[in-house]
Amino acid sequence: MKRTPQWIVGGAVAAAAALTLSGCGGSSFDDEAGADQDGSAPLSILIGSSGDAETAAVKEAVAAWSEESGTDAEVTVASKLPEQLAQGFSSGKPADVFYLSTDLLAGYASNGSLLAYGDDLENKDDFYPTLVESFTYDGDFYCAPKDFSTLGLIINTDLWTQAGLTDADIPTTWEQLASVSQRLTTPEHAGLAFGGEYARVGAFMASAGGGLVSADNTEATANSDANVQALDYVKQQLAAGTFSYAKDVGAGWGGEAFGKGLAAMTIEGNWISGAMQNDFPDVKYRVAELPEGPGGKGTLQFTNCWGVATDSANQEAAVELVQHLTSTESQLAFASAFGVMPSIQSAAEDWKSENPDFVAFLDAADYAQGVPTVDGSADVITDFNAKLESLKSSEPKAILDEVQTNFEALLADAN
């Protein structure tokens, strides 16, 4: 199965995401069937789910809050979250609480659909700052990050040993990454294979010191020298055969290439743990932080928030529910159930002690870069992805110039 956890799902993601959104149910929030005896409708929660484990964990957490608070609540799993979310808003009957991806924030915030409740949370200062940035629009912290994922370097330890490599060879620089990738490359498998898309290649841009837009999402920076350097590096390694795209080794995504032994290393997020456990349980591997580039350490992060509708008839209860869902207890339960990382810093040590093999993913939170949140950025990135597929035979500067033009147009419209 191809999994695409870009920024649609926040870590279980994704998503969007990221891990593929799956599940059943629809947006039937105007149904009277679930109304309380006094005629008031229960609090409605719309989620996208990575599978049964995530669905069960969210329903359990909501049920616990509902019993304690005395407020009825219903969880609906969307089959197509963005579409069902849009339908709810257009009908004037949106869900009270819902998963919201970073690329949808600006659009809904700018038209008044979202309640900016972030600063009202008791734990607002506990969220990782980079996650708060991802859900801040026009200076307002709109919604609480529910969890997140980062990208790391996944290494097949058996193939690593067969190539004569040791722990001392774990790459910490681009040069070392190219060197060990070359040593690991054989006729049977690539040294390093990953998805040929911004959600993976963008990690090199981050470690070069670049990014598609400025940190405050006000300036397009796609064709910066740092980004050109990053794409030049990836292009050189693709041409040399030390790196490969997953599709070029016959896989739908990096995790599949890695699990099937078509690649000795891949670049993926912590969601890969579920795929390895379920689909490739015999493959031994370890996780390392991505090597530093010319700009230092860099990686990408993916997240969703708990959005609350401005039109919710019970905003107070909705925010109270979010407070419960983002508590240390709830987030650690979610992490245990479906592999995400808590969005609050106070849960970090507990998470690390429970997930010692994946500490590298959480350590990356200190320098992880969020994806652009400019309204319309998803379309620009889709076009960018199409161009990255032919990076091996294209000019990086030309690709990035087009992306720059597209983001400049978005930002001009936004202002």
Side-chain angles (χ1 to χ4, degrees), residues 333-349:
F334 291 155
S336 176
F338 54 97
V340 291
M341 298 190 300
S343 61
I344 49 175
Q345 300 172 80
S346 61
E349 292 309 313

Side-chain angles (χ1 to χ4, degrees), residues 286-318:
R286 65 176 297 175
V287 180
E289 292 181 66
L290 290 178
E292 292 188 27
K297 289 186 176 183
T299 190
L300 297 182
Q301 69 182 21
F302 308 96
T303 182
N304 276 359
C305 79
W306 290 106
V308 172
T310 302
D311 288 341
S312 171
N314 199 345
Q315 292 180 355
E316 183 177 354

Side-chain angles (χ1 to χ4, degrees), residues 126-128 131 144-148 326 331 341-345:
D126 199 10
F127 295 102
Y128 287 98
L131 297 179
K146 73 180 192 70
D147 50 48
F148 76 114
T326 58
Q331 292 214 45
M341 298 190 300
S343 61
I344 49 175
Q345 300 172 80

Side-chain angles (χ1 to χ4, degrees), residues 105 109-110 114-118 135-138 140-144 306:
L105 175 76
S110 63
L114 296 182
L115 178 68
Y117 69 87
F135 295 110
T136 296
Y137 175 79
D138 201 20
D140 293 324
F141 177 26
Y142 267 80
C143 50
W306 290 106

